[in-house]
Amino acid sequence: VCIHRVRSCSSIRFIKSKYVCVFDKSALKFSHQQRLFRTSPVSCGQIVQFKLSDIGEGITEVTVKEWYVKEGDSVSQFDSICEVQSDKASVTITSRYDGIIRKLHYSIDDIAFVGKPLVDIEIDASKGVAPEEDVVETPPMSHEEHTHQEIKGHKTLATPAVRRLAMENNIKLSEVVGTGKDNRILKEDILNYLAKQTGAILPPSPKAEMVSPVRRTEAVPAAPKDKAHKIPVPVSRPIAFSGKDKTEPVTGFQKAMVKTMSAALKIPHFGYSDEVDLTQLVQLREELKPLAEIRGVKLSFMPFFIKAASLGLLQYPILNASLDENCQNVTYKASHNIGVAMDTEQGLIVPNVKNVQVCSVFDIAVELNRLQSLGSAGQLGTSDLTGGTFTLSNIGTIGGTYAKPVILPPEVAIGALGKIQVLPRFNGKGEVFKAKIMNVSWSADHRIIDGATMARFSNLWKSYLESPASMLLDLK
């Protein structure tokens, strides 16, 4: 009876203790062999569910935009698995394990949820990569897994030797453009970056090549360029007349715009507009553009606009503040994180330049070049898109003079810049001259900002731009 019960059980743990005394050696041997046979498939390979961990900013779901692997592919640690997009940024998910992809849990454009499996990976159990309790499921928000999620533009791939070299020279890897596979940073990239900082002459790096299209654009004669601005060129897109209504879900940056603009409607907007004579600034920029190009940076008017705004915010800090939901407390922000609205294929995005109050005009230009490159590629990180305290929107790059900008909560002010026009104006002697005029439109939260404050700030900002030399007195 005892032997029959041993053979009928799936595991020795079900055997009652009172029967142990009558076991013979053959019975014990049979039960032990049965247990080894039952668990042998696990020792060959363990299936681990690699989950989507928390990517911050309260994001609970993302859209799968692209898979870099398929079922049956072999992956190593830090290999890219897929790209997902939240309503704030694009994120590349990289592998935590070495193994074989056994299952993809989502298709393209599916909604993936934080804490749910992305892929099943078969790993070699003999290497002890994952403990037995992690098989089938892993902790949904473990710190180790979070470090393998690469936010584009920030977390970079590099070997320990390269990281050590960067650390010894006080270089941030996020500022270095990688030329290796999957944008991996190589030793040569660090040396090239270090040479640029010290002024040594080395072969052109990929960062310098990024501005080559700018130089080709400048080689175009001025007259055709002006005509291109006057005559709108229609965008060639395939037009399909199906005769049926089409319904699509609101996702990605469009979804973020819905939330932000819905919150903005609760703010009473105060509008103020003026025009700025940029004749001297245009001349100054033309003189500085070649110097900036030698350093591999494209210098636009926006760095001057941003720096002038920061100088104005030092005098009127209420415009760099935020109001709590109950309208009981005003928080004055120490950092001037000035956002720049960008029109991209993914929609409207507003990355911001951090700590403008301690940046030079050239520093701002370098950061804008980085943000514009990442924005056009849809690779802006979450930190680039959050934390803004004040915003400028350059609608003039598309056309138009005046606008009615909408405040981006929790900010309390925003400015819209029109296009620069050549218009007749009078000088101090009553003589007519050609002036480079730009219109600006401001919106402020009228709950805490009165019209006089907005007008005084605008006048100060305007004075810096109309007389750029005056900015030197207040630059730090």
Side-chain angles (χ1 to χ4, degrees), residues 419-438:
K419 64 181 179 180
I420 300 176
Q421 306 175 87
V422 179
L423 298 174
R425 289 296 183 268
F426 291 96
N427 60 18
K429 298 179 181 180
E431 301 170 340
V432 178
F433 71 100
K434 291 182 179 180
K436 304 294 179 63
I437 301 297
M438 181 189 73

Side-chain angles (χ1 to χ4, degrees), residues 448-468:
I448 60 173
I449 299 173
D450 55 66
T453 301
M454 189 73 255
R456 292 189 182 100
F457 168 82
S458 179
N459 290 338
L460 179 58
W461 178 79
K462 173 181 175 179
S463 68
Y464 285 130
L465 298 177
E466 290 188 338
S467 179

Side-chain angles (χ1 to χ4, degrees), residues 352-422:
N352 57 83
V353 181
K354 299 291 193 297
N355 298 309
V356 177
Q357 76 279 4
V358 294
C359 293
S360 66
V361 172
F362 180 77
D363 293 335
I364 299 171
V366 172
E367 181 65 4
L368 277 180
N369 281 202
R370 185 185 72 86
L371 294 175
Q372 287 166 348
S373 298
L374 294 176
S376 60
Q379 298 178 347
L380 283 168
T382 304
S383 61
D384 292 326
L385 296 167
T386 56
T389 60
F390 186 88
T391 298
L392 291 176
S393 176
N394 190 7
I395 195 67
T397 56
I398 301 175
T401 53
Y402 290 99
K404 188 179 179 182
V406 181
I407 298 170
L408 300 175
E411 299 174 18
V412 295
I414 184 174
L417 312 174
K419 64 181 179 180
I420 300 176
Q421 306 175 87
V422 179

Side-chain angles (χ1 to χ4, degrees), residues 310-318 336 457 460 464 474:
S310 177
L311 294 175
L313 293 176
L314 292 174
Q315 301 297 323
Y316 300 96
I318 187 63
H336 296 173
F457 168 82
L460 179 58
Y464 285 130
D474 297 320

Side-chain angles (χ1 to χ4, degrees), residues 86-147:
S86 69
D87 57 359
K88 297 182 179 179
S90 295
V91 179
T92 295
I93 307 299
T94 57
S95 176
R96 178 184 175 185
Y97 307 104
D98 298 331
I100 301 174
I101 301 296
R102 290 305 181 193
K103 181 180 180 181
L104 306 180
H105 286 268
Y106 299 99
S107 301
I108 301 295
D109 293 330
D110 282 355
I111 302 298
F113 296 92
V114 170
K116 299 298 182 180
L118 277 175
V119 295
D120 288 355
I121 303 178
E122 181 179 342
I123 62 175
D124 189 352
S126 62
K127 296 182 179 179
V129 176
E132 186 174 357
E133 60 268 20
D134 283 343
V135 177
V136 180
E137 286 192 354
T138 55
M141 296 184 188
S142 64
H143 175 72
E144 183 182 357
E145 181 174 334
H146 181 70
T147 60

Side-chain angles (χ1 to χ4, degrees), residues 132-169:
E132 186 174 357
E133 60 268 20
D134 283 343
V135 177
V136 180
E137 286 192 354
T138 55
M141 296 184 188
S142 64
H143 175 72
E144 183 182 357
E145 181 174 334
H146 181 70
T147 60
H148 289 74
Q149 294 189 150
E150 174 191 350
I151 299 179
K152 290 189 174 182
H154 286 274
K155 191 175 188 312
T156 52
L157 300 181
T159 62
V162 172
R163 293 182 183 275
R164 189 182 308 110
L165 179 62
M167 183 178 63
E168 291 173 352
N169 291 278

